Structures are given as structure tokens and as C-alpha cells.
């Protein structure tokens, strides 16, 4: 007696098709699972047995062998429960094979027979063939993002059996209901004063340049960072699907409609571990926060409070846009192309050695500064000082430009970058800078002076040219970069002497 039912399992952010094979034979009662299952798959025996008995279905009192094919892929999670239950019912002749032929099954089982959602429904649906899919009601919105297949949302094993036997029709997703509109993003008009910081946000959004804000507590660094997503262009269909797959696999929750259409904003706590930030784990290879920020913004508040080895783990993803996690069981690759925005105080008390304000000793300030490595700081194209707004800023002038008008300029600059064959100016290869960001005589002279003084290294030179290209694009300026463009780019790369941070640490 054999039952064969298709399903899928999740590894990283990729789904893999799995064939659940159940064989029931004479012998002492036993239940064996083979095919590289993890602990949660092996525990499916108790969940499935209780679910079937709760719905007055029979559990075999014979020798039961379960094979999860192919055996080369590690099976993780409880998403195979429903497929296992159906395969057991077929193997014990409580269902006929033709009654479930062509159907795939996904879902976790509760002890009362209910079918519950699992993480990664988008990825799992992609891994299965184009045939009909039976899945939990709560997951139908996620699965519908993939498109191109018939979905049957179910509530319980009892309903699945009734539909398979023809006692009731297979349910279909409800149609005609429009999802509620997503909540409005914070508007840049809420920020009073801070003209330099506002401009730096615009440049960061237009060119995809990483931004570091240094300043005392209460200056508005977090408020500024939270408004950056409102300046970014909406995701393209391909980007939206990539981001949705990651959020689905990580269990981050999806917006109304199931598709992530706007750049995500992730702000992990400074106590986050390396696995939480970068991704990985043991059996369950879960995406980290940087992958959750794919095509969006990763905001690290209180940057110097993060563990130094956690921060240094960001260096490779910032350069390559992916994370490769290798474990004994498997190796996975997580997408991680994000815009990094960080905020930090200049010293532990926040006032950066200013007379009458700072309470830190010289040793405390030096220890605080050493928590950030030079190679990490070098990856910030924009580094600005943010001061507390004055009373006149808060009560005097009217609010500045809102996000809508700034976002229009950002979109135009992104379209100019796209016409050059890059997603944004921060991704211009160094080999193409002379072609895409040529310099006039004044700009060349200015950069030679910065290099001679030690303010810039070769990597810093490339980054400044990319920022200058973005500044020119925002102004709809000429193809050749001028001295004014380079001077503005250098001014947004503050050296930090006024903040108590050594030049050699910040100068790239």
C-alpha cells in the first residue's frame, strides 16, 4: 500500500519540490521518516496522527515508512504535514489515488486537524508545478502573488477529505475584494530645519549612496532616516517579487495584497546577533535583517553600540549585494542589496567633547571610536554632522519640501542612471567612471588636492565621483562634472575632526 503526494520544502529563500512517499506494510507498529528530515519533520508523526484521529480518520497500526524525496535536499519545517496526512490516507485506502491526482499540498497541521500557514509560502508555491495547490486559507494571499495556478484554500483535514471524495467542491479564493491601502509613509515635511541632512537624504536616495549621520541625542537622526523610504521609487515588478519572497521566507509578514511594492525599511536593535543581522542558523537557514532590507533601507541606530564583529560582517554584503552562508548541512545565498543608513553619537554621552557638554573621559571616547573599523566607515559615501535644530527652526519658518516633490527629483535621477545601464549611480563600475562621470579641469584639480592632502584614498576617490554624478543628475546638469559638483560631494563627506573622531578613521 503506497501513497505518493507532491509538496515542497524551504531552504533559505528558495523552495524545493518534495515527493512525500508513504508505504504501509505488515509488521510491528512503527513510523520511520527517511530522506534527510530535520527534527520538525520527524515530529510530524505525532501531529499528523493526532490530526487524523481528531477528525475520526484511521491511523495505521502497522509498519509505516515515509520517504521524502529527493534525499539530497534537507527537509526543514512543518510545511509537509498536510501532504504527509494525505499520503497516509491514500496508503491506507481511505482515499483513492485518483481522488488527489494532480494536486499538491502545503500546510502545517494542528492537533485538532486544522490546517495552519507556514513561512515561505511564496517560495514554496514557486517550487511546485503549475497544477492545483491545496493550502491553508491564511496563506492564499501570499500564494496568489506567484500567479499562474489554481489555489484551493482549506481550513482542516476533514474539509480536504470531503473535497477529495467529491462530497463538496474544492474551494476557490474569494475575488472582487480590494485589499486595503497601505499606511502612509512618514513625510519629509515633518522635519524642521536640517537643510544639509535633508539634502544628504535626497542624494542618498537618488544615487543609492550609504549614509552615516553623526550628532548629539535629539538632533533628529532617527526621524530623518525613517523618512528615507518615502523618497525612493516604487519597486519594479521583478524587485517586488524578489523582496516578497524574502519576507515570506523570513516570516516578516506581507502587506495587504501580499506583494511588497514599496522599498522595505528595517531597523534592527543594536543587540542583534550576527545571525539575526546577516542570516543563517543551523538547520533553518533563515534570511537576516539585511536581506529583509533588500531593495530598501537598513537603518542601524546607535551604530557604535553594535558588536564590532557584527558590523564587520556587513562589509562583504555591502560590496557584493549577496550573503553566502555555508553550514555542514547546506550552503545558501541570500540577496542583500540595500541602502545602509546609520546614526551614531560622537561619544558615549553624545556631546562629542564639546566644552560644558561632554562628560566622557579621553579614554572612553577613544574606546567608543575604536568600535567602528576604518574599512566599514570607508563604505559610507555620505558622512554628515547633524546638530540639534534651533528654536527658530522648530517654531519659525514653515515646513520644507514634502516627500512627494523630492521623490520626483529622485525618480528622474534614477531614470538617468538607468539609461547608463546601472540601477543607481552608486553601482557605476570604477572602470566606467571616466566614461559616465568625466571631470572638467577644475574638478580634476580639486580632487588632486584632496588626494595629495590625504583626505581621499583611491576607493574614496571613486565614491566621491559617484556622489558628484548623482548631484549633477539631481540638477539635470551636464555630462561633465564641474568643480562645484565635486566640492558639494566632498562637503558631504565630513572628516569628523569636529566630532572627536580621527581623520584617519573617517577619511576614505
Amino acid at each position: 500500500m503506497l501513497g505518493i503526494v507532491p509538496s515542497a520544502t524551504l531552504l533559505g529563500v528558495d523552495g524545493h519540490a518534495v515527493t512525500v512517499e508513504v508505504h504501509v506494510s505488515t509488521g510491528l507498529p512503527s513510523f520511520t521518516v527517511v530522506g534527510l528530515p530535520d527534527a520538525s519533520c520527524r515530529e510530524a508523526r505525532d501531529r499528523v496522527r493526532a490530526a487524523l484521529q481528531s477528525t475520526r480518520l484511521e491511523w495505521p497500526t502497522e509498519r509505516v515508512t515515509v520517504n521524502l524525496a529527493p534525499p539530497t535536499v534537507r527537509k526543514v519545517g512543518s510545511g509537509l504535514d498536510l501532504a504527509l496526512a494525505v499520503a497516509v490516507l491514500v496508503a491506507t485506502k481511505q482515499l483513492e489515488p485518483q481522488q488527489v491526482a494532480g494536486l499538491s499540498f502545503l500546510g502545517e497541521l494542528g492537533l485538532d486537524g486544522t490546517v495552519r500557514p507556514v513561512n515561505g509560502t511564496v517560495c514554496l508555491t514557486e517550487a511546485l508545478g503549475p497544477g492545483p495547490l491545496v493550502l491553508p486559507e491564511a496563506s492564499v494571499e501570499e500564494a496568489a502573488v506567484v500567479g499562474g495556478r489554481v489555489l484551493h484554500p482549506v481550513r482542516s483535514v476533514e474539509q480536504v477529505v470531503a473535497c477529495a471524495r467529491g462530497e463538496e467542491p474544492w474551494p476557490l479564493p474569494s475575488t472582487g475584494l480590494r485589499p486595503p491601502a497601505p499606511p502612509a509613509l512618514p513625510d519629509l515635511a515633518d522635519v524642521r530645519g536640517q537643510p544639509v541632512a535633508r539634502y544628504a537624504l535626497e542624494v542618498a536616495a537618488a544615487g543609492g549612496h550609504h549614509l552615516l549621520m553623526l550628532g548629539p541625542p535629539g538632533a533628529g537622526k532617527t526621524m530623518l532616516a525613517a523618512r528615507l523610504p518615502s523618497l525612493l521609487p516604487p519597486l519594479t515588478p521583478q524587485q517586488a517579487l524578489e523582496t516578497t519572497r524574502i519576507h515570506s521566507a523570513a516570516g516578516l509578514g506581507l502587506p495587504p495584497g501580499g506583494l511588497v511594492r514599496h522599498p522595505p525599511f528595517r531597523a534592527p536593535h543594536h543587540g542583534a546577533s550576527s545571525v539575526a543581522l546577516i542570516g543563517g542558523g543551523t538547520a533553518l537557514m533563515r534570511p537576516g535583517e539585511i536581506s529583509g532590507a533588500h531593495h530598501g533601507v537598513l537603518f542601524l541606530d546607535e551604530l557604535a553600540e553594535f558588536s564590532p564583529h557584527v558590523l564587520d560582517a556587513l562589509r562583504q554584503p555591502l560590496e557584493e549585494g549577496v550573503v553566502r552562508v555555508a553550514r555542514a548541512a547546506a550552503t545558501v545565498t541570500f540577496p542583500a542589496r540595500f541602502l545602509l543608513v546609520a546614526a551614531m553619537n560622537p561619544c558615549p554621552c553624545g556631546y562629542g567633547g564639546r566644552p560644558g557638554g561632554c562628560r566622557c573621559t579621553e579614554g572612553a571616547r577613544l574606546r567608543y571610536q575604536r568600535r567602528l573599523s576604518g574599512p566599514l566607515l570607508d563604505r559610507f559615501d555620505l558622512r554628515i554632522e547633524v546638530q540639534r535644530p534651533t528654536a527658530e527652526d522648530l517654531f519659525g519658518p514653515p515646513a520644507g519640501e514634502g516627500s512627494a516633490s523630492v521623490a520626483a527629483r529622485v525618480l528622474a535621477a534614477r531614470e538617468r542612471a538607468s539609461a547608463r545601464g546601472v540601477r543607481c549611480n552608486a553601482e557605476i563600475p570604477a572602470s566606467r567612471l571616466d566614461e559616465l562621470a568625466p571631470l572638467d579641469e577644475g574638478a580634476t584639480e580639486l580632487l588632486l588636492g584632496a588626494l595629495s592632502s590625504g583626505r581621499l584614498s583611491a576607493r574614496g576617490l571613486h565614491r566621491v565621483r559617484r556622489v558628484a554624478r548623482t548631484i549633477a543628475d539631481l540638477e539635470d546638469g551636464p555630462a561633465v562634472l564641474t568643480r562645484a559638483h565635486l566640492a558639494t560631494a566632498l562637503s558631504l563627506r565630513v572628516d569628523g575632526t569636529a566630532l572627536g573622531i580621527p581623520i584617519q578613521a573617517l577619511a576614505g
Side-chain angles (χ1 to χ4, degrees):
M1 294 178 287
L2 182 66
I4 301 176
V5 173
S7 186
T9 190
L10 184 68
L11 185 61
V13 294
D14 296 317
H16 296 269
V18 174
T19 301
V20 180
E21 301 173 340
V22 174
H23 182 263
V24 179
S25 62
T26 57
L28 292 176
S30 64
F31 188 97
T32 305
V33 182
V34 298
L36 210 59
D38 76 335
S40 60
C41 288
R42 289 191 293 269
E43 292 168 354
R45 172 193 61 184
D46 299 315
R47 290 192 300 270
V48 173
R49 178 174 56 188
L52 294 182
Q53 292 175 343
S54 297
T55 52
R56 298 179 298 280
L57 296 167
E58 295 181 7
W59 177 258
T61 56
E62 300 161 291
R63 182 181 181 87
V64 179
T65 304
V66 179
N67 179 41
L68 305 177
T72 54
V73 177
R74 188 168 185 83
K75 319 305 185 303
V76 178
S78 56
L80 300 174
D81 286 4
L82 181 58
L84 177 57
V86 173
V88 168
L89 294 176
V90 172
T92 56
K93 298 186 177 180
Q94 298 178 71
L95 288 177
E96 296 298 327
Q98 63 270 20
Q99 292 176 329
V100 294
L103 296 173
S104 301
F105 296 84
L106 288 176
E108 176 188 326
L109 292 183
L111 300 185
D112 59 350
T114 56
V115 183
R116 298 171 178 171
V118 293
N119 290 343
T121 298
V122 173
C123 313
L124 298 174
T125 304
E126 286 182 325
L128 294 169
L133 172 62
V134 181
L135 75 170
E137 273 188 337
S139 299
V140 69
E141 195 173 60
E142 286 189 42
V145 169
V146 179
R149 69 200 66 222
V150 178
L151 303 177
H152 297 311
V154 296
R155 298 183 301 275
S156 64
V157 174
E158 187 175 16
Q159 183 183 12
V160 172
V161 173
C163 294
R165 290 174 175 171
E167 298 171 2
E168 59 181 83
W170 285 104
L172 296 173
S174 58
T175 58
L177 297 178
R178 300 185 62 183
L185 297 174
D187 198 285
L188 192 61
D190 300 333
V191 179
R192 295 299 185 102
Q194 305 292 8
V196 174
R198 290 169 59 96
Y199 184 66
L201 281 185
E202 183 176 344
V203 174
H209 304 291
H210 305 308
L211 169 65
L212 173 63
M213 296 181 284
L214 302 100
K221 303 185 294 294
T222 303
M223 184 179 185
L224 286 160
R227 279 143 184 82
L228 183 55
S230 66
L231 309 182
L232 296 173
L235 301 181
T236 65
Q238 180 62 32
Q239 291 174 340
L241 185 57
E242 289 178 9
T243 306
T244 301
R245 292 176 74 250
I246 295 171
H247 284 223
S248 176
L252 297 179
L254 298 179
L259 192 65
V260 180
R261 292 182 171 85
H262 299 283
F265 180 81
R266 304 297 300 172
H269 187 263
H270 57 73
S273 67
S274 179
V275 170
L277 192 66
I278 305 301
T282 52
L284 182 61
M285 305 287 272
R286 186 177 183 274
E289 290 288 344
I290 64 173
S291 295
H294 187 56
H295 292 313
V297 177
L298 177 70
F299 176 49
L300 301 183
D301 201 3
E302 304 295 346
L303 182 66
E305 299 299 333
F306 282 81
S307 172
H309 82 273
V310 171
L311 291 180
D312 284 337
L314 291 172
R315 287 154 54 179
Q316 179 264 338
L318 286 173
E319 292 292 332
E320 299 186 16
V322 297
V323 178
R324 298 178 184 86
V325 180
R327 297 290 184 269
T331 300
V332 298
T333 300
F334 298 123
R337 191 166 297 282
F338 55 91
L339 175 56
L340 176 61
V341 179
M344 62 177 288
N345 299 324
C347 68
C349 79
Y351 295 96
R354 288 178 172 78
C358 184
R359 302 185 300 274
C360 303
T361 64
E362 184 64 23
R365 285 195 294 271
L366 290 175
R367 285 192 298 272
Y368 189 77
Q369 294 154 16
R370 282 197 295 266
R371 295 181 67 86
L372 303 182
S373 67
L376 175 64
L377 289 169
D378 189 44
R379 284 163 170 79
F380 287 100
D381 298 345
L382 308 173
R383 302 191 288 251
I384 62 170
E385 183 179 2
V386 181
Q387 295 295 339
R388 285 181 173 177
T390 64
E392 290 76 12
D393 290 331
L394 296 175
F395 292 99
E401 277 187 296
S403 294
S405 57
V406 177
R409 292 197 296 269
V410 168
L411 179 60
R414 288 282 184 120
E415 289 174 347
R416 294 186 184 97
S418 180
R420 302 184 186 105
V422 294
R423 186 178 64 92
C424 57
N425 289 330
E427 298 177 7
I428 295 177
S431 59
R432 298 190 64 195
L433 281 174
D434 288 338
E435 171 195 352
L436 303 180
L439 307 173
D440 68 7
E441 184 176 347
T444 303
E445 181 182 349
L446 182 63
L447 285 181
L448 286 174
L451 288 167
S452 301
S453 65
R455 185 178 178 185
L456 285 179
S457 66
R459 176 188 286 176
L461 171 65
H462 296 155
R463 292 182 178 274
V464 167
R465 290 182 67 175
R466 295 184 183 108
V467 173
R469 178 72 274 166
T470 300
I471 292 170
D473 287 347
L474 285 170
E475 299 172 355
D476 196 11
V480 178
L481 302 180
T482 66
R483 184 184 183 93
H485 296 141
L486 268 297
T488 304
L490 287 170
S491 71
L492 294 175
R493 196 178 175 88
V494 65
D495 60 18
T497 51
L499 305 175
I501 298 178
I503 288 180
Q504 61 267 27
L506 281 177

